[in-house]
Amino acid sequence: MEVTLRITSPSAAAGLVPVAICQPQQSISSKGIWLRDNPLDYPFPLIMAQVTLVLFTSRTLYYLLRPLGQTKFACNLLGGIILGPSLLGHKKVIREKLFRDKDAHLFEILSLLGTLYSLFIIAVKFDKNMLRRTAKNAWKIGLPGFLVPLAVSLGLAHPIGSTLPGLKGGMFFLYFSFSSFSFTFFPVIAQALNELNLMTSELGHLAMSSALVTEAIQWLSVAVHIVFTKKSPIHGILALVSLFALTVLIFFIVRPLILVIIKNTPQGKEVKEVYVVAILLGVLVSAGISDALGATPMTGPVLLGLVIPDGPPLGATLIQKTEFLVSELLLPVFFFRVGFMTDVYSFQDWGSLGKLQMVILLTYGAKIVTVTVAALCCKIRFKNGILLSLIMNIKGIVDLVVFSRWRSSKMLDQQSYTQIVLSMLLVTLIATPVVRFLYKPQIRLEPSSKHSRTRNIQSPRFNSDFSILCCVHNEESVRNITSLLESSNPTEQSPILAYVVRAVELIGRAAPLLLPYKKKQQQEGGTKKLKRTNTPTHQLMRAFWNYSKNSKGPVSIHAFTMIAPYNSMHETVCRLAEDNNIPLILLPFHENNQYTVGANVRAGIRQFNVNVQTYSPCTVGILVERGLSARLSVSHFSYNVAVFFIGGPDDREALAYASRMSGNPDVGITVFRIILRNKLKEGNTKEEEVEETMDESLVDEFKIRNMGNDCVIWKDIEVDDTVQLMDAIRNSQGDYDLVLVGRRHAEMSLRDEEMAEFVQNAELGVVGDMLASADFCGGMVNVLVLQENVELGNGAFRANSAKRSAKWTKFSG
């Protein structure tokens, strides 16, 4: 079959005959290699081969470079450059067989789809209220970090930019292109910090807040640029009016429909599939409309994403169903197109190259110096200031979209575009590994203050406040935690301050957050308060508030909502504990609700618990809920506790907690002290003697304090070896509501290294793991495993604690 294309030349007006060209219509798929057909001569198998090659290259680079601190953005872009004309694509055979110009438009459409949905996802994740919750010093760092580099770049625009032939968009474009080197887009910073596992760190929070300060200015300048780069002023005005009309349509017609969908979705349920499909289709429709109106195709999806509330139910569902496909399949195609448009062989005018490179370096350098100086003025350590400035110079997909648009519009020539892209890539390749390997999240940004000291249960006096930080993942843990709080003996002389943190995994949001719950309620409108009363978080917090009112002693509840990734959630918890001098953190065991929680969530909670044990500034208790909660009611409360004391800092924390409980007349305590006869005969090292002295001191203090207390029973059990020790514990069963034990013990045979193959849950320790199993009380008793902060105390036992904790962190790696 032949298709006749009739082309009229410019000379047709002079009466010349039009030229007719006949070209055979090409099939999109191959007939097969058995008919000696080359599949790469046809569009469909060629596109499949290109996509496969792109994905394989990008994933291979990410696998190799990720241990070196590189992000997916850098690896994907580097893969595109390797396959492009700068390296492999420069060879004639590869260029003619795999990357033919006539098939480039198909690949460009795929890359555009990836860009549309990626920007839509970025907009959905964006929290519109984040500007109210910017970190301390964000304005002091973010504003000068934007304005000073902007002034430097604009100051160089006229004397240097006017001499660059590669920038062809006029003076306005010249000023805008130079100013874009100073931009720091919030989504780019958030994505990079997420890959570096620094989103919840102090540095990460400050970097995202600083980038957010000028986010609106940067996006507004991008929108204005769309108008002023039109060839005709009339076209620019029409595009601006049309863009405003599209914004009004989306915000005042589409947004109410979105809110109706959310309102009609039952609490805890996902949004219906039909709504998800309709919104994803709306991304394409809005892109087509914005492109037809004279704006970029990306404008519509960004506006649509901004009207969708982040987080569950709708935002989280959209992210879960689309993000993986977009980031792992479509985005690498976009980065390949960028790399394919980058050609190092286009470097011809070395004078222009040097001038443009000077502008880029001066702008990046101005941002580094300004951010570092601003950080020093905010009393942030010099090292952390440098790392913050490097983060603020990281580039990403938003920058590439802007520069690629200029290249497609012929505003940038090949040399200038290649130079800008390579400069972005080089800065990112340097910044991310430096930040990853030099920044220590457990070290505070500012120099040590009065708050930066480690604490344990033994440190508070009996006539002072006793603070406990309780992390809660679901409502099932409330009864056991409130029973534990009540047993902790709140009195007028020593009230309990409970910091209750509802921990939620970060899904469908761009950045983590920690908010006081009451404050968050007040920020919502009055009509939305009633809607929030049925949320799991509100019901959970209401249960704690009700307990606080009905407790026999003074218990103050400080409620927080924490939304963060599980792998870095511990940083927020540890900072909260350090800032408030909290001596004890309570964590639910990851298997407490194994029948109602998925395997991935349990693995995330387990990693979170281990991370808190490793980096906590205070004592950490993991609460294993195996039995029913205590008999707690408004009129009566009773609680039976067993304590196993073998020796060591963690067991001392368990005994100290039991000592506090012993002041509560409704709590019965049975202490089993395990004494090894062989250890008494053997000579001890100096460190072991110190440990034994501290053990005896606390034991004597406990006995003196509870002399004449009928609710406390003390039992000494002598054993010869570890086998008898474990048997003695198994035989000490009773009607207990809770068992207290330390995670680590002074006895060498009970160390993690010695018993690793027998322990199923290393975070519980050897004895704690056995107590939580069916071997003790049929697995029907609650167990609280305590671990003192690894930096407290003296001796070799404590010196190796951090190493052992780090070793056990590897189980989920």
Side-chain angles (χ1 to χ4, degrees):
M1 178 180 181
E2 292 187 348
V3 178
T4 302
L5 302 177
R6 186 173 299 275
I7 303 175
T8 304
S9 65
S11 58
L16 299 180
V17 179
V19 179
I21 301 176
C22 296
Q23 182 178 355
Q25 184 179 14
Q26 184 184 16
S27 174
I28 64 170
S29 59
S30 170
K31 298 176 182 177
I33 59 175
W34 311 114
L35 298 178
R36 297 183 178 181
D37 221 357
N38 184 4
L40 297 181
D41 290 338
Y42 299 87
F44 178 73
L46 178 63
I47 289 294
M48 295 301 101
Q50 290 176 339
V51 171
T52 302
L53 183 60
V54 168
L55 295 181
F56 175 79
T57 304
S58 61
R59 293 305 299 180
T60 301
L61 287 173
Y62 186 59
Y63 176 78
L64 295 175
L65 298 180
R66 183 183 181 184
L68 302 179
Q70 300 301 339
T71 61
K72 284 184 180 179
F73 162 77
C75 296
N76 288 335
L77 183 55
L78 189 60
I81 293 175
I82 291 175
L83 294 176
S86 297
L87 289 174
L88 297 180
H90 186 67
K91 295 183 178 181
K92 184 178 180 181
V93 176
I94 296 179
R95 186 171 64 252
E96 292 180 351
K97 293 295 183 181
L98 280 176
F99 306 121
R100 297 190 296 266
D101 291 338
K102 67 176 183 179
D103 299 313
H105 63 284
L106 297 175
F107 213 77
E108 192 167 352
I109 292 174
L110 277 179
S111 67
L112 181 59
L113 284 176
T115 307
L116 295 177
Y117 280 104
S118 178
L119 293 178
F120 169 72
I121 290 173
I122 288 174
V124 171
K125 285 184 175 183
F126 186 73
D127 185 357
K128 293 75 182 174
N129 295 318
M130 280 191 63
L131 197 58
R132 305 177 188 174
R133 305 189 296 265
T134 53
K136 175 186 176 183
N137 300 323
W139 285 91
K140 298 177 184 178
I141 295 176
L143 203 57
F146 171 73
L147 294 178
V148 174
L150 179 65
V152 171
S153 59
L154 292 180
L156 298 172
H158 183 71
I160 295 181
S162 58
T163 64
L164 298 177
L167 280 67
K168 308 174 182 178
M171 284 306 298
F172 177 82
F173 170 74
L174 188 64
Y175 282 108
F176 181 79
S177 61
F178 273 37
S179 65
S180 64
F181 299 146
S182 63
F183 288 178
T184 300
F185 289 101
F186 168 80
V188 172
I189 301 300
Q191 187 175 13
L193 291 172
N194 184 38
E195 291 194 45
L196 294 173
N197 197 20
L198 294 176
M199 289 191 74
T200 55
S201 65
E202 270 192 302
L203 185 67
H205 189 203
L206 181 57
M208 288 187 290
S209 298
S210 301
L212 191 64
V213 166
T214 57
E215 188 76 4
I217 301 176
Q218 294 169 167
W219 282 102
L220 182 62
S221 63
V222 172
V224 172
H225 160 262
I226 296 173
V227 176
F228 282 90
T229 51
K230 298 296 181 183
K231 294 182 179 180
S232 170
I234 300 298
H235 293 165
I237 295 174
L238 291 176
L240 180 61
V241 173
S242 302
L243 184 60
F244 178 76
L246 178 63
T247 303
V248 172
L249 173 70
I250 291 178
F251 275 83
F252 292 96
I253 296 181
V254 177
R255 189 173 188 274
L257 297 177
I258 296 293
L259 296 179
V260 170
I261 294 174
I262 296 175
K263 183 179 180 181
N264 293 333
T265 301
Q267 184 65 44
K269 301 292 183 180
E270 287 190 354
V271 178
K272 291 182 180 180
E273 196 79 19
V274 61
Y275 297 137
V276 175
V277 174
I279 292 174
L280 295 180
L281 181 62
V283 174
L284 301 179
V285 174
S286 62
I289 293 175
S290 61
D291 186 55
L293 294 177
T296 65
M298 284 72 77
T299 306
V302 169
L303 293 174
L304 180 62
L306 288 176
V307 301
I308 298 177
D310 60 315
L314 184 56
T317 302
L318 288 170
I319 299 303
Q320 287 179 318
K321 292 183 179 296
T322 60
E323 186 173 31
F324 182 81
L325 179 66
V326 172
S327 62
E328 300 297 332
L329 179 62
L330 296 179
L331 267 189
V333 175
F334 166 73
F335 288 116
F336 166 75
R337 284 301 303 165
V338 173
F340 196 77
M341 294 165 61
T342 304
D343 186 4
V344 296
Y345 294 97
S346 64
F347 292 160
Q348 302 292 336
D349 187 351
W350 296 100
S352 298
L353 186 144
K355 294 177 182 178
L356 181 57
Q357 195 61 42
M358 182 179 68
V359 174
I360 295 173
L361 291 177
L362 288 175
T363 305
Y364 287 165
K367 184 176 284 287
I368 290 176
V369 173
T370 305
V371 171
T372 303
V373 172
L376 290 174
C377 294
C378 296
K379 298 182 180 180
I380 296 176
R381 292 184 176 93
F382 176 74
K383 174 184 173 182
N384 292 328
I386 291 290
L387 296 178
L388 178 62
S389 66
L390 290 177
I391 293 176
M392 300 297 284
N393 271 314
I394 291 177
K395 303 298 180 181
I397 182 174
V398 180
D399 306 90
L400 281 182
V401 169
V402 174
F403 294 134
S404 298
R405 178 78 177 178
W406 296 344
R407 176 70 184 106
S408 301
S409 303
K410 307 297 183 182
M411 296 179 181
L412 284 178
D413 66 358
Q414 183 69 57
Q415 173 176 307
S416 301
Y417 175 77
T418 300
Q419 185 178 358
I420 293 173
V421 171
L422 291 180
S423 298
M424 289 172 46
L425 177 61
L426 183 61
V427 169
T428 305
L429 286 173
I430 294 174
T432 51
V434 170
V435 172
R436 176 179 177 180
F437 293 114
L438 293 185
Y439 177 60
K440 305 298 180 184
Q442 60 270 26
I443 300 177
R444 304 302 294 263
L445 287 181
E446 301 178 10
S448 58
S449 63
K450 61 180 181 180
H451 296 296
S452 58
R453 63 177 187 272
T454 53
R455 304 194 72 187
N456 58 11
I457 299 177
Q458 303 170 56
S459 58
R461 298 179 180 178
F462 286 103
N463 58 353
S464 63
D465 296 342
F466 185 66
S467 301
I468 303 177
L469 195 158
C470 308
C471 287
V472 186
H473 300 282
N474 46 56
E475 297 179 58
E476 285 77 6
S477 300
V478 173
R479 288 190 65 186
N480 282 307
I481 291 179
T482 53
S483 297
L484 188 58
L485 292 175
E486 186 67 16
S487 69
S488 301
N489 191 28
T491 63
E492 294 294 336
Q493 295 76 24
S494 181
I496 289 180
L497 306 180
Y499 293 80
V500 180
V501 179
R502 169 77 195 284
V504 181
E505 185 181 11
L506 180 69
I507 299 177
R509 287 183 168 92
L513 57 87
L514 175 70
L515 286 179
Y517 185 71
K518 291 182 180 179
K519 182 179 179 180
K520 185 177 181 181
Q521 273 190 308
Q522 293 170 359
Q523 286 178 352
E524 305 289 341
T527 58
K528 294 184 181 180
K529 278 188 178 181
L530 296 176
K531 183 180 176 181
R532 292 176 55 84
T533 57
N534 292 326
T535 64
T537 300
H538 182 81
Q539 294 176 359
L540 186 149
M541 296 305 179
R542 185 172 58 185
F544 279 101
W545 289 326
N546 289 338
Y547 157 71
S548 176
K549 295 177 182 178
N550 298 321
S551 173
K552 291 184 178 181
V555 178
S556 300
I557 303 296
H558 303 272
F560 293 86
T561 298
M562 176 178 63
I563 303 176
Y566 279 126
N567 58 359
S568 60
M569 192 179 284
H570 64 282
E571 295 172 356
T572 302
V573 172
C574 292
R575 281 200 305 274
L576 182 62
E578 184 176 354
D579 291 340
N580 293 280
N581 289 329
I582 297 175
L584 175 62
I585 298 176
L586 286 180
L587 307 173
F589 188 51
H590 69 277
E591 291 185 356
N592 284 351
N593 308 109
Q594 55 181 324
Y595 300 110
T596 58
V597 178
N600 292 335
V601 175
R602 291 201 303 272
I605 295 175
R606 186 179 191 184
Q607 181 63 65
F608 164 63
N609 291 347
V610 174
N611 288 340
V612 174
Q613 284 183 324
T614 305
Y615 300 108
S616 171
C618 61
T619 297
V620 178
I622 295 182
L623 180 60
V624 183
E625 301 173 27
R626 290 288 189 253
L628 298 175
S629 60
R631 294 165 284 279
L632 175 61
S633 66
V634 176
S635 59
H636 179 68
F637 171 74
S638 64
Y639 208 60
N640 294 324
V641 180
V643 184
F644 289 96
F645 185 87
I646 302 171
D650 294 349
D651 281 342
R652 289 196 294 271
E653 285 295 277
L655 189 60
Y657 198 13
S659 181
R660 179 178 179 86
M661 291 180 175
S662 65
N664 191 331
D666 297 322
V667 177
I669 298 176
T670 303
V671 180
F672 298 94
R673 186 182 185 186
I674 311 297
I675 303 173
L676 277 82
R677 299 189 188 95
N678 294 339
K679 189 173 181 181
L680 296 176
K681 300 177 183 178
E682 297 174 356
N684 295 331
T685 64
K686 184 176 180 180
E687 290 80 6
E688 290 174 338
E689 290 178 357
V690 172
E691 291 291 339
E692 287 187 10
T693 301
M694 297 174 70
D695 290 344
E696 292 299 331
S697 176
L698 187 63
V699 167
D700 293 340
E701 180 182 340
F702 180 88
K703 289 181 178 180
I704 294 173
R705 174 181 172 82
N706 292 284
M707 190 175 296
N709 188 345
D710 296 333
C711 296
V712 176
I713 301 174
W714 185 279
K715 295 182 179 181
D716 289 329
I717 303 176
E718 294 187 359
V719 297
D720 293 324
D721 52 29
T722 305
V723 176
Q724 289 188 11
L725 184 149
M726 301 300 281
D727 289 338
I729 294 176
R730 292 189 186 93
N731 296 330
S732 302
Q733 304 186 31
D735 184 19
Y736 306 126
D737 295 301
L738 178 71
V739 177
L740 286 174
V741 70
R743 174 177 176 252
R744 304 159 300 179
H745 310 280
E747 169 57 28
M748 291 297 298
S749 60
L750 293 177
R751 300 289 177 87
D752 291 339
E753 294 89 340
E754 305 293 334
M755 304 288 289
E757 57 182 302
F758 304 105
V759 178
Q760 183 177 0
N761 300 291
E763 64 270 30
L764 300 180
V766 178
V767 178
D769 184 69
M770 189 272 290
L771 291 172
S773 68
D775 293 340
F776 185 80
C777 295
M780 296 300 294
V781 62
N782 297 333
V783 181
L784 180 61
V785 180
L786 295 170
Q787 174 187 296
E788 189 185 41
N789 173 268
V790 295
E791 295 180 0
L792 288 175
N794 302 307
F797 175 80
R798 217 70 50 81
N800 294 324
S801 294
K803 295 180 180 178
R804 285 195 294 272
S805 298
K807 174 184 176 182
W808 286 112
T809 306
K810 296 179 181 178
F811 71 82
S812 64

